[in-house]
Amino acid sequence: MSHLVTDELLKQVSKPARYLGTEWNAVHKDWDENPAHMVFIYPDLYEVGMSHLGLAILYGAVNEQPGMLLERAFAPAPDMEDLLREKGIPLFSLESHRPLTDFDVVGFTLQYEMSYTTILNILDLAGLPLLAAERGPGHPLVVGGGPGVANPEPVAPFFDCFLLGDGEEALPELLALMGRLKKEGWAHDRREVLARIAALPGFYVPSFYDVTYNTDGTVAAVVPNRDGIPARVTKRVLPDLDAAYFPTRPIVPFLEVIHDRIMLEVMRGCTHGCRFCQAGAIYRPVRERDLAVLLGQAEELVRHTGHEEISLTSLSTADYSRVEELARTLAAAYEDRGVSVSLPSLRVDAFSVRLAEAVQRVRKSSLTFAPEAGSQRLRDVINKGVTEDDILTATAEAFQAGWQAIKLYFMLGLPTEGEEDLLGIAGLARRILHQGRELAPGKKPTVTVSVSSFVPKAWTAFQWEPQDVVKVLQEKQQLLRSHLKGPGLRFSWHDARVSFIEAVLARGDRRLAAAIMAAWRRGARLEGWSEYFRYDCWEEAFEETGLDPAFYAHRQRQEGEVFPWDHLDFGVVKGFLLRERHRARAGELTADCRSGRCTGCGVCPDLGVDLRLKGGPVDRAPAGEV
């Protein structure tokens, strides 16, 4: 099949490098010498998927182990999909160009709810039955991981199992098990295989759980339907990142990808406690890497990739205890080699600006901050923990240091939001623009306001809250647009209809699988791209299946309600989230547990882990004591 791909297919598509599989540092292991075979699929185009650090980590973590191999696949672009369907050729992996059905495990990362229809399209292109219940002994296992498994229930009927939490150790364990089962002759007994997988920590087999519903449509319970299956599945967590695998020979693509640079993961987790943020909850606790470890990894990465930029990666890099020392050391070490250092996320304070100035010595195109809300009242509701003085001090430092373009991210539709909060966004943007003109006379500063729509997510303090209806979100966008006109001001916004579908799926249950399938059959796929998003497919899908999307997106949930994800355990206890919801309503802030008291979120005592900070002892209460 490899000759068919290279000699025929690649000549007829744009960007054939997407499908070559021969990039620098790509791994080609012998199929016969490694009995456990997995293909990792990023359900989007190559350019997006190859920017995903998780893929690089798991690709290396598995391929460094004897007896197993991991190859890659991505969603084909429309021209390749048309060609595959026209010629009846199944979707293939990049490294060996084998059909996906040749593998023991087909793994998807669930990064975003709007990728669900693309996952079905990939399964269909592979020639696999969409529903797990329709797959037989000769079919590979379909496994999911990533942040989407915080609530995987809408796609549960399509998957054989999910991995909750960190995958560096868990995924090799799964493949080692598959290798043993093949050797023992059990690999064709699908129920036995799934039972053995369910016994591995962190693996959730949805077919082993039954869901019942109340007469009002809410979930009554999710309970195991066979002996030996845990009532709750707890996520995997790596307690020490210094001891964890990290790839220092990542694949270097032949074509430009979204993030074409070295990604150096300085830490995992975030404890700021923003009440809308799912990542901040499910990736706890904070675990920092040692400075010496990071400097060593950076040296190896520069040597093995040839990239010209090192991005210090995490959910909130400026919080890394030794970020200034790390950034300055790297900048000094590699400046002569033409390698720069970047910080992808900035805290809204002057320290971040001074740090950015220290490492970004040449380009000063723009700086991005995320106040999230336009008024102090609403910033306190979401526990953002910054004041307008913090923001204006940071932007003043930026203008004085030479930056002329400031980008501000906000979220529309947050709980308790009113018109004064929206007008606060416009007012703040104008004050920053005025500040820029005063501090940089003769220049033409710009302020860009970018707004997304609030999507209530599982495992957050706002998981009980309704989303504004599309019409209200569009009215709010229009209000802001009318107040953000004039020289120096720019405004961009996300399609509120996309946010609505995302909200439906983010807190949905298994019944939504029928709507996802119906939307895909009508042509929905690659919906992370605005040019491919088709709202009509979803309207027709909900009508066909009789499911009410408003029930999932717009309904105020009761505090005692059972959620579809309550049988999963990411460490954060529901009582803590409920307390945070009440504190939000009261406008009360909760301190970051890095420097204050333990907030009682439950992660450290329940998962048997602790914060791992590299900046010295931290004055705080023992974990679990509020």
Side-chain angles (χ1 to χ4, degrees):
M1 184 163 168
S2 188
H3 289 299
L4 176 65
V5 172
T6 55
D7 296 345
E8 186 171 342
L9 297 183
L10 298 190
K11 295 177 181 176
Q12 304 179 59
V13 298
S14 64
K15 298 186 178 180
R18 286 169 170 160
Y19 314 101
L20 280 174
T22 54
E23 308 97 316
W24 184 252
N25 290 334
V27 178
H28 296 258
K29 296 184 78 171
D30 187 276
W31 191 268
D32 296 324
E33 292 179 1
N34 297 278
H37 311 130
M38 175 174 174
V39 57
F40 183 103
I41 303 173
Y42 195 99
D44 208 316
L45 299 181
Y46 177 93
E47 296 91 316
V48 180
M50 283 304 296
S51 303
H52 177 48
L53 179 59
L55 187 160
I57 292 173
L58 297 177
Y59 186 79
V62 170
N63 283 325
E64 287 216 342
Q65 300 291 324
M68 59 186 73
L69 63 81
L70 188 147
E71 300 189 359
R72 297 163 293 149
F74 301 91
D79 60 348
M80 177 60 94
E81 178 181 343
D82 291 345
L83 204 55
L84 293 174
R85 292 194 184 279
E86 176 191 329
K87 295 182 177 296
I89 299 171
L91 186 62
F92 49 86
S93 69
L94 265 59
E95 280 75 4
S96 65
H97 291 159
R98 287 176 180 267
L100 303 190
T101 48
D102 281 5
F103 292 81
D104 303 308
V105 177
V106 171
F108 288 93
T109 179
L110 279 58
Q111 292 291 312
Y112 178 43
E113 288 83 357
M114 300 310 293
S115 70
Y116 292 169
T117 53
T118 304
I119 290 172
L120 296 192
N121 201 43
I122 289 171
L123 292 175
D124 183 64
L125 284 167
L128 280 166
L130 303 186
L131 294 169
E134 295 178 356
R135 292 181 207 124
H139 291 128
L141 290 173
V142 178
V143 181
V149 299
N151 176 28
E153 291 305 290
V155 289
F158 309 125
F159 281 82
D160 294 293
C161 66
F162 296 100
L163 167 60
L164 279 56
D166 299 325
E168 289 96 327
E169 295 176 349
L171 200 56
E173 287 177 19
L174 171 67
L175 292 176
L177 172 64
M178 293 301 295
R180 289 198 302 275
L181 291 172
K182 288 174 75 174
K183 188 175 181 180
E184 295 168 4
W186 286 100
H188 293 293
D189 186 336
R190 210 167 181 85
R191 297 289 287 180
E192 176 64 20
V193 169
L194 290 174
R196 300 277 286 272
I197 291 174
L200 294 174
F203 283 91
Y204 164 50
V205 179
S207 60
F208 290 167
Y209 294 79
D210 289 334
V211 184
T212 55
Y213 299 93
N214 298 309
T215 55
D216 64 0
T218 58
V219 171
V222 184
V223 295
N225 57 25
R226 58 182 288 163
D227 293 338
I229 301 300
R232 297 191 80 200
V233 180
T234 302
K235 78 165 184 176
R236 294 289 291 264
V237 59
L238 293 170
D240 182 4
L241 286 193
D242 287 337
Y245 171 82
F246 191 77
T248 54
R249 292 176 179 263
I251 294 171
V252 182
F254 288 146
L255 56 82
E256 187 175 358
V257 297
I258 301 297
H259 298 307
D260 198 9
R261 60 200 183 199
I262 290 170
M263 289 180 282
L264 189 63
E265 186 187 32
V266 300
M267 65 179 191
R268 202 169 292 179
C270 176
T271 50
H272 274 299
C274 296
R275 290 169 176 140
F276 58 83
C277 182
Q278 183 185 64
I282 66 173
Y283 288 114
R284 291 186 179 201
V286 166
R287 291 147 288 162
E288 295 183 344
R289 278 198 164 92
D290 189 81
L291 181 68
V293 171
L294 291 169
L295 293 175
Q297 290 175 347
E299 178 62 29
E300 292 292 308
L301 284 160
V302 170
R303 183 188 310 159
H304 295 305
T305 66
H307 283 302
E308 297 177 342
E309 180 181 346
I310 302 172
S311 176
L312 306 183
T313 304
S314 75
L315 288 174
S316 182
T317 297
D319 289 328
Y320 173 58
S321 299
R322 302 180 71 176
V323 65
E324 186 170 1
E325 186 178 1
L326 173 65
R328 291 182 186 276
T329 302
L330 290 174
Y334 298 109
E335 185 177 21
D336 291 343
R337 291 195 244 174
V339 179
S340 64
V341 179
S342 66
L343 300 159
S345 59
L346 288 181
R347 209 164 51 198
V348 186
D349 61 20
F351 165 75
S352 293
V353 177
R354 289 192 291 272
L355 183 59
E357 184 186 13
V359 299
Q360 296 172 9
R361 299 174 183 175
V362 181
R363 290 183 294 113
K364 288 184 176 175
S365 53
S366 66
L367 275 186
T368 302
F369 301 101
E372 311 288 2
S375 70
Q376 192 57 50
R377 185 200 66 80
L378 194 52
R379 285 193 290 273
D380 290 346
V381 167
I382 65 176
N383 202 42
K384 188 62 185 175
V386 297
T387 66
E388 182 159 317
D389 284 346
D390 294 330
I391 300 166
L392 292 175
T393 301
T395 52
E397 292 260 1
F399 287 126
Q400 289 168 337
W403 277 279
Q404 296 299 314
I406 300 294
K407 294 181 180 178
L408 303 172
Y409 283 140
F410 294 93
M411 200 175 289
L412 295 186
L414 287 162
T416 78
E417 181 183 73
E419 185 171 316
E420 66 280 8
D421 302 303
L422 298 173
L423 296 178
I425 294 174
L428 179 60
R430 289 189 178 280
R431 284 192 288 280
I432 292 173
L433 181 63
H434 177 72
Q435 180 189 53
R437 288 169 175 164
E438 285 201 328
L439 293 174
K443 305 290 185 180
K444 293 183 177 179
T446 62
V447 176
T448 300
V449 172
S450 179
V451 297
S452 61
S453 300
F454 167 63
V455 176
K457 297 271 186 172
W459 299 101
T460 71
F462 291 158
Q463 62 184 351
W464 290 270
E465 306 297 341
Q467 185 189 52
D468 281 346
V469 299
V470 170
K471 184 172 183 292
V472 169
L473 289 172
Q474 291 171 335
E475 289 172 352
K476 290 180 175 181
Q477 291 170 350
Q478 177 57 37
L479 177 69
L480 269 182
R481 191 159 56 234
S482 67
H483 284 79
L484 285 168
K485 293 179 177 177
L489 288 173
R490 296 170 184 167
F491 179 57
S492 65
W493 63 95
H494 290 184
D495 188 334
R497 299 171 305 170
V498 175
S499 301
F500 171 49
I501 301 301
E502 187 182 347
V504 172
L505 300 176
R507 294 182 299 166
D509 53 52
R510 292 187 188 183
R511 292 171 295 191
L512 281 171
I516 297 169
M517 194 182 300
W520 165 74
R521 284 188 172 131
R522 283 166 169 76
R525 65 203 58 174
L526 292 176
E527 297 185 286
W529 299 78
S530 57
E531 60 266 46
Y532 298 128
F533 175 65
R534 288 184 52 191
Y535 189 56
D536 60 314
C537 292
W538 286 99
E539 289 180 307
E540 293 169 9
F542 290 129
E543 185 175 348
E544 176 193 320
T545 56
L547 293 165
D548 178 11
F551 173 81
Y552 297 100
H554 301 147
R555 181 171 58 87
Q556 175 77 65
R557 309 207 174 192
Q558 299 301 308
E559 292 193 347
E561 184 171 331
V562 175
F563 291 143
W565 54 90
D566 276 355
H567 59 298
L568 308 178
D569 181 7
F570 281 82
V572 178
V573 296
K574 202 170 182 178
F576 166 76
L577 296 174
L578 200 52
R579 288 198 301 274
E580 282 298 289
R581 182 185 188 225
H582 295 163
R583 292 176 70 84
R585 294 286 173 177
E588 297 175 356
L589 294 171
T590 297
D592 184 338
C593 67
R594 274 173 167 269
S595 55
R597 293 169 55 84
C598 171
T599 59
C601 75
V603 167
C604 294
D606 287 1
L607 299 181
V609 293
D610 202 355
L611 301 183
R612 280 187 175 265
L613 308 178
K614 302 297 183 178
V618 177
D619 181 18
R620 61 183 176 83
E625 296 181 17
V626 183

